[in-house]
Amino acid sequence: MDYFNDMLKSQAYIIQPNEGECLEIKGMSLTFKITSEYTNDQLGVYKIVLAPHTIGAKLHYHRFMDETFIVNSGELTIQVGHETSIATKGTIAYIPRFTPHGFRNDSDKEVTLTLLFNPAQKREGFFHGLHETLNESPINPEKYLKLYNKYDSFPVDTSNMLPIKNHQ
């Protein structure tokens, strides 16, 4: 054991723009870029494309992870508590744990963003579960809430938590 010298090793991941697993979820395209597996659950990086007039998530918070939004194109509506902001290309929104937040595309154009979770909390499982749950008809609110809670997401208002404009 060498206590005085760094042990260097190559553990980098380079993900090209067209690489990563992609899920289609109710007007949202989500691509896994840097996953929990790559980072020992320390960081998750995801590309999200929101179609016009699509809700990404209603007001919720996390207990054990921080979330960062980087807007790459379009205009993203971000709600933090009772305040709503329009985030344009280049905007970075850092949302620390215990901060109620939600996001949506209120515009007539597509929005592209990069979403980071730190730590990752195996967020890929959440997105796979979201894909399954939101593609069911009707959507089961109890199943949705169970998924949310398992992956450190807590809706502020469970009577209005589903990311859909018209409740089913």
Side-chain angles (χ1 to χ4, degrees):
M1 179 62 79
D2 185 343
Y3 295 103
F4 301 97
N5 295 296
D6 293 334
M7 302 302 293
L8 303 179
K9 51 188 170 181
S10 177
Q11 294 183 316
Y13 292 94
I14 299 174
I15 310 300
Q16 298 297 328
N18 61 343
E19 293 179 332
E21 179 182 357
C22 185
L23 300 175
E24 298 292 328
I25 307 170
K26 294 270 186 199
M28 175 172 62
S29 170
L30 185 135
T31 305
F32 299 167
K33 292 302 190 173
I34 300 296
T35 63
S36 298
E37 178 184 355
Y38 294 155
T39 67
N40 193 28
D41 214 23
Q42 295 304 302
L43 178 69
V45 180
Y46 312 93
K47 175 186 175 187
I48 293 181
V49 179
L50 286 176
H53 306 286
T54 298
I55 298 169
K58 293 215 176 162
L59 205 59
H60 67 285
Y61 65 94
H62 309 286
R63 291 178 178 162
F64 302 106
M65 64 182 159
D66 301 332
E67 191 169 356
T68 302
F69 297 82
I70 303 170
V71 180
N72 301 315
S73 68
E75 294 181 349
L76 181 69
T77 301
I78 299 176
Q79 182 180 359
V80 179
H82 298 294
E83 301 291 321
T84 301
S85 299
I86 303 298
T88 58
K89 180 180 179 179
T91 300
I92 299 172
Y94 169 68
I95 314 294
R97 53 200 79 182
F98 292 103
T99 302
H101 63 285
F103 67 101
R104 63 188 183 269
N105 179 0
D106 289 336
S107 78
D108 293 329
K109 295 183 180 177
E110 191 174 83
V111 173
T112 303
L113 61 129
T114 302
L115 187 60
L116 292 87
F117 287 96
N118 180 28
Q121 299 277 315
K122 300 188 181 357
R123 203 70 183 160
E124 301 80 30
F126 171 78
F127 290 129
H128 280 287
L130 200 59
H131 178 262
E132 177 183 314
T133 304
L134 293 180
N135 284 320
E136 294 174 348
S137 185
I139 297 169
N140 180 337
E142 292 171 358
K143 183 177 179 182
Y144 181 85
L145 184 58
K146 184 175 183 178
L147 173 73
Y148 246 57
N149 292 167
K150 178 179 179 181
Y151 289 96
D152 189 34
S153 293
F154 301 90
V156 172
D157 178 2
T158 56
S159 70
N160 184 22
M161 65 183 171
L162 298 177
I164 53 177
K165 292 197 183 277
N166 297 320
H167 291 288
Q168 297 179 354

